[in-house]
Amino acid sequence: MAEVFLLIVLKVVMILIFAGWISLWLLKPTQIWTRKWKEVEERLRPTILGYYGINFVVFTFPVIALAIIGSIYMNLQLRKTRRSYGKKVFSGISNPVVVNTLLGTFSALEILSISLFALFLAWTFYARISNDFKDLMPVKSLKLKTWQLKYLRVATRFGLLAEACLALLLLPILRGLAFFRLFGIQFEASVRYHVWLGTAMVCFATFHGGSTLFIWGISHYIQEEIWRWQKTGRIYLAGEIALVTALVIWITALPQIRRKRFEIFYYTHHLYVVFLVFFLFHAGDRHFYWVFSGIFLFGLDKLLRIIQSRPETCILSAKIFPGRTIELILPKDPKLKYTPTSVIFVKIPSISKFQWHSFSITSSSSVDENTLSVVIKCQGSWTSSLHNLINNELESDSNQMKGVPIAVEGPYGPASTDFLRYDSLLLVAGGIGITPFLSILQEIASAPKSGNQFPTRIQLIYVVKKSQDISLLNSTSSLILNQTTDQLHLKLKVFVTQEPQSGATLRELLDEYSQVETVHFDTNGSSYAINGLESFLSMAAIAGLSSVVFLVFLICFNHIFLPDHKNKKLKSPKASKEKNPSSVFDLIIIFSFVIAMICSTLLAVIVRWRRLKRETSPLVEKHVKSWLPSSIEAGGALDKHEIHFTGRPNFQDIFTKFPTETGGSDVGVLVCGPETMKESVALFCRQNSQCFKTGAERKTSFSFHSLNFTL
């Protein structure tokens, strides 16, 4: 009872902090805020916080506080979830409202959030530009006509819209300190919000920079202004460098480049450091504090991830499936627990010392205590190199292959298993999109042992190009075959789209492709098993400490290097800033941030070292599984399953027949595969999501969930 009350209190506190932070953004463009806030700054200037400390506390810290309180909340929620698995309350909140090939799939909550954010941008622009036009002042260094001056002000205010997008840009891609896990949104799904915000930011920034250059050009002042590195105020050259960097990052992140040339996308994306530094020098400290919360949390999250992925572990064994698909079996600590559909990021130094790639975990921590497995489709250059590496080891004459070091980051997954609390499940997978469902099926199969109540009636629709892809069901073949009437009712429908009718039954295909090759690797070079992330409480403590350290050093540096701030005779902030270049203020922020990150790193290393010393045990033989090919025994277990050739699933027919075939009035629909498949399933979910019929008869309700296997 006490934990429930504490969860409610924490939730209320987070709502109030978030509402207060949003209110600041809404008040920011108004004259009332400008006038009142200057008075507050002047009153607090003689205090220990000073001008810069109060800006950090008011503008930046609320979001950091949300991350800290959210981590504590998720820690309590995780403990509560493990003890109690209830029914899903809001079963239809994720249902799609808009399904469009060009725009994608949007739920009601997403449409509401996008609309509110668009209204906020419109309000910010209107409030700023209306005040500018009322008090239109000519630029002293430029002789501009009235329309040119107005256009220049419009371009300037578009820069504020880019700033608003930047304030939220990095929050969706946090992993350990993730906000979106509070809403049950996985990291892979929240990445698209990062893409949307990044695209909007680049568009606003391009208009801002391009229009400014246009006005300078037609007024013949472009040579003077473009290279101006002002001692105080805006630094135009820094803004130009930031804009070019942002365009390079955005262009190389386009799907056409990201999917075909992932290495280019990966390395150019690290130019965000250059972009953020020059944005600071261009916008100045006052604007930087508004966006600094996301940068601060991202930097801390990045450091925690680097530390968590050390030291490296090793691959225990690998299974080679037909169609250039492999399964890696990795060691994990028995205490490490993760939810189904979780992902890990892996790096193999022998292939690339810098590249990290994400993969869905196909095993269940409730079933496999000592190992963790991922299935990889070898298509790109990195995965092809991995396939060649394992094949070369397989072709060698050695009985025990040499060890392959691997760094692992994660697992990252939903904080709870709400999507497993339906009466029935309809799983739709395409190709390698089957990987998240393998962990779900194993988790559900372990429900009687763990005491958790999961759906017992499941239908799996698996769409593949070639029949050999059925081999990916190898890890769940025993589950498909050995079903009991009181534990699990699983119906499998396989659709092979690019092969003619062969006459082979599903039983024969499963039997044929169950014979897979296995490579066992030497593990003598490593004694480390995957331990996972630090606890939520540890991450909250590290985030709190780093923010305090930053504030302390920020205040100290201000009083040491800017002593004129303590002079009470300076009544105007402009008088103070005229004595010091704006770059000095910016460097103080950078140095304070670096010191805070160093202190956080030292603390995180100590916490990690103590945890590894306490929990890590040497890899022993029990970690290595036999992984012998499974055989299909005779019987009628496969009689209810279906296989279809040269055709795609008719989702209208599937949704119509599902209630009678499986049963259950509350059905969870999970889909993972190509975007066209997701759109088709989303469309039928939208059409069949009503909870009641015209009369008193209850109608089956379908709740849509989209899973991603690639970023």
Side-chain angles (χ1 to χ4, degrees):
M1 186 65 184
E3 285 188 0
V4 175
F5 176 75
L6 184 57
L7 284 171
I8 295 174
V9 172
L10 292 176
K11 187 180 294 186
V12 171
V13 171
M14 287 190 292
I15 292 174
L16 292 176
I17 293 175
F18 182 72
W21 189 64
I22 293 298
S23 300
L24 293 178
W25 277 94
L26 293 174
L27 290 172
K28 178 186 175 184
T30 63
Q31 290 292 335
I32 297 176
W33 168 261
T34 303
R35 184 170 57 254
K36 293 294 183 182
W37 183 244
K38 286 183 179 179
E39 295 177 3
V40 172
E41 287 177 334
E42 286 303 310
R43 291 178 182 176
L44 295 176
R45 185 179 295 275
T47 66
I48 190 172
L49 281 177
Y51 164 76
Y52 293 95
I54 191 61
N55 275 274
F56 172 79
V57 171
V58 174
F59 302 148
T60 301
F61 189 72
V63 180
I64 300 176
L66 280 176
I68 296 172
I69 298 173
S71 296
I72 299 173
Y73 178 87
M74 285 190 288
N75 181 73
L76 293 173
Q77 188 184 50
L78 184 62
R79 290 167 53 186
K80 179 176 178 291
T81 302
R82 286 177 179 174
R83 292 197 302 266
S84 174
Y85 283 78
K87 284 292 181 182
K88 189 171 178 67
V89 180
F90 304 104
S91 59
I93 194 171
S94 59
N95 275 346
V97 175
V98 174
V99 180
N100 185 275
T101 303
L102 181 62
L103 299 177
T105 303
F106 298 90
S107 66
L109 186 60
E110 288 176 331
I111 292 177
L112 178 62
S113 301
I114 293 172
S115 301
L116 291 176
F117 186 65
L119 286 174
F120 160 72
L121 294 178
W123 156 251
T124 300
F125 180 78
Y126 170 77
R128 288 291 191 183
I129 204 65
S130 60
N131 291 330
D132 290 343
F133 285 176
K134 287 179 183 177
D135 304 316
L136 198 61
M137 300 292 293
V139 182
K140 294 181 180 180
S141 60
L142 301 175
K143 296 180 181 180
L144 301 178
K145 299 178 181 179
T146 303
W147 75 268
Q148 294 173 344
L149 186 59
K150 288 184 176 181
Y151 188 72
L152 184 62
R153 299 309 300 168
V154 169
T156 302
R157 295 316 177 188
F158 263 82
L160 293 180
L161 303 186
E163 176 186 308
C165 295
L166 179 59
L168 302 175
L169 179 65
L170 298 175
L171 298 181
I173 56 174
L174 297 177
R175 299 179 191 173
L177 296 167
F179 284 96
F180 288 86
R181 294 178 68 182
L182 291 169
F183 306 99
I185 301 175
Q186 294 175 266
F187 169 75
E188 313 94 278
S190 63
V191 167
R192 70 172 184 163
Y193 306 136
H194 171 76
V195 174
W196 294 346
L197 289 167
T199 301
M201 184 196 73
V202 170
C203 291
F204 293 140
T206 302
F207 183 85
H208 165 69
S211 298
T212 303
L213 292 175
F214 170 72
I215 294 298
W216 289 347
I218 63 175
S219 59
H220 306 291
Y221 286 96
I222 191 169
Q223 292 292 338
E224 298 177 14
E225 297 292 332
I226 197 172
W227 298 108
R228 178 177 294 184
W229 188 286
Q230 296 171 297
K231 293 184 177 180
T232 60
R234 301 288 188 273
I235 299 176
Y236 297 134
L237 180 59
E240 295 150 12
I241 296 174
L243 176 59
V244 172
T245 306
L247 286 171
V248 171
I249 294 174
W250 180 77
I251 292 173
T252 55
L254 293 173
Q256 295 83 352
I257 298 177
R258 186 182 73 248
R259 293 172 182 170
K260 296 181 179 180
R261 295 289 185 270
F262 180 82
E263 292 79 7
I264 296 177
F265 154 76
Y266 181 83
Y267 291 120
T268 55
H269 234 62
H270 286 79
L271 291 174
Y272 67 82
V273 177
V274 177
F275 167 75
L276 293 175
V277 169
F278 282 98
F279 171 81
L280 168 61
F281 282 102
H282 173 64
D285 56 277
R286 182 186 292 270
H287 289 271
F288 194 71
Y289 281 121
W290 288 96
V291 305
F292 186 50
S293 53
I295 299 170
F296 188 91
L297 290 174
F298 178 78
L300 184 60
D301 188 73
K302 182 80 172 178
L303 287 174
L304 291 175
R305 285 157 38 195
I306 293 173
I307 295 170
Q308 185 259 323
S309 63
R310 303 291 190 274
E312 295 174 349
T313 183
C314 60
I315 300 175
L316 294 179
S317 59
K319 302 170 70 175
I320 303 178
F321 296 96
R324 294 178 59 81
T325 303
I326 58 176
E327 180 180 14
L328 301 182
I329 294 87
L330 310 174
K332 84 171 185 67
D333 191 278
K335 297 179 182 178
L336 174 61
K337 301 296 180 182
Y338 50 85
T339 50
T341 72
S342 295
V343 300
I344 60 172
F345 287 75
V346 301
K347 178 185 70 173
I348 300 180
S350 59
I351 298 177
S352 174
K353 295 183 181 296
F354 303 104
Q355 287 189 43
W356 291 84
H357 295 262
S358 63
F359 301 102
S360 299
I361 300 177
T362 57
S363 57
S364 168
S365 58
S366 301
V367 178
D368 300 312
E369 293 187 351
N370 300 309
T371 59
L372 176 151
S373 61
V374 294
V375 174
I376 302 172
K377 184 75 171 179
C378 301
Q379 295 176 324
S381 59
W382 188 91
T383 53
S384 296
S385 298
L386 175 60
H387 186 270
N388 295 335
L389 174 67
I390 296 175
N391 264 333
N392 293 337
E393 293 294 330
L394 184 64
E395 294 171 359
S396 65
D397 297 330
S398 175
N399 294 328
Q400 186 76 7
M401 310 303 175
K402 65 179 182 180
V404 179
I406 182 172
V408 178
E409 181 191 313
Y412 302 105
S416 63
T417 52
D418 283 349
F419 57 86
L420 293 179
R421 301 179 187 180
Y422 295 97
D423 297 331
S424 304
L425 280 180
L426 176 60
L427 310 178
V428 183
I432 196 64
I434 191 65
T435 51
F437 299 143
L438 298 178
S439 62
I440 291 177
L441 293 176
Q442 294 187 55
E443 186 79 13
I444 293 176
S446 69
K449 298 178 182 179
S450 62
N452 298 327
Q453 297 297 319
F454 288 149
T456 57
R457 298 182 177 275
I458 306 170
Q459 186 170 123
L460 173 60
I461 310 297
Y462 188 27
V463 184
V464 296
K465 294 181 179 179
K466 304 291 183 180
S467 57
Q468 64 184 11
D469 294 332
I470 299 176
S471 61
L472 296 182
L473 297 172
N474 183 278
S475 61
T476 57
S477 59
S478 59
L479 174 61
I480 296 173
L481 298 174
N482 304 318
Q483 299 180 45
T484 58
T485 56
D486 58 339
Q487 290 185 3
L488 179 65
H489 299 271
L490 171 63
K491 183 171 184 178
L492 174 64
K493 293 183 178 181
V494 179
F495 293 84
V496 183
T497 60
Q498 295 185 4
E499 281 187 7
Q501 183 72 38
S502 64
T505 64
L506 184 57
R507 178 189 306 280
E508 293 171 343
L509 291 175
L510 282 173
D511 191 17
E512 177 184 354
Y513 294 119
S514 65
Q515 310 297 321
V516 297
E517 295 178 293
T518 305
V519 182
H520 294 279
F521 294 95
D522 181 20
T523 60
N524 294 329
S526 174
S527 61
Y528 171 69
I530 301 170
N531 279 262
L533 304 170
E534 301 299 336
S535 67
F536 287 120
L537 291 180
S538 297
M539 288 190 288
I542 294 173
L545 174 69
S546 60
S547 60
V548 171
V549 170
F550 174 83
L551 181 60
V552 169
F553 277 93
L554 182 70
I555 294 173
C556 292
F557 285 153
N558 281 325
H559 284 76
I560 293 173
F561 296 103
L562 304 173
D564 54 312
H565 282 196
K566 294 186 290 185
N567 190 348
K568 295 183 179 181
K569 294 181 180 180
L570 291 175
K571 297 183 180 180
S572 172
K574 292 182 178 179
S576 173
K577 288 203 171 189
E578 287 174 357
K579 294 187 176 183
N580 298 285
S582 60
S583 57
V584 175
F585 303 93
D586 303 334
L587 289 174
I588 286 176
I589 293 176
I590 293 176
F591 289 146
S592 302
F593 174 71
V594 171
I595 293 174
M597 292 298 105
I598 292 174
C599 294
S600 302
T601 301
L602 294 176
L603 177 61
V605 168
I606 294 172
V607 172
R608 186 70 178 174
W609 175 78
R610 294 186 62 181
R611 180 183 176 188
L612 293 178
K613 186 178 179 181
R614 182 177 64 252
E615 296 181 359
T616 301
S617 57
L619 296 182
V620 293
E621 191 65 24
K622 68 176 183 179
H623 284 123
V624 183
K625 291 193 172 182
S626 175
W627 298 109
L628 295 176
S630 58
S631 60
I632 309 298
E633 299 179 357
L638 291 178
D639 290 345
K640 61 182 179 180
H641 303 306
E642 303 174 7
I643 183 167
H644 306 272
F645 291 87
T646 64
R648 300 182 182 275
N650 185 338
F651 290 114
Q652 180 65 57
D653 184 61
I654 291 172
F655 275 85
T656 302
K657 294 181 178 179
F658 185 84
T660 57
E661 291 181 345
T662 308
S665 58
D666 189 14
V667 180
V669 180
L670 282 70
V671 57
C672 185
E675 291 301 321
T676 52
M677 173 185 289
K678 292 181 181 180
E679 292 169 3
S680 299
V681 176
L683 185 62
F684 286 106
C685 277
R686 188 184 66 180
Q687 297 173 354
N688 296 274
S689 61
Q690 297 86 0
C691 295
F692 297 95
K693 284 187 176 181
T694 309
E697 183 182 356
R698 176 73 181 263
K699 184 178 180 180
T700 301
S701 175
F702 294 92
S703 299
F704 177 81
H705 299 268
S706 175
L707 303 179
N708 296 327
F709 59 90
T710 57
L711 297 180

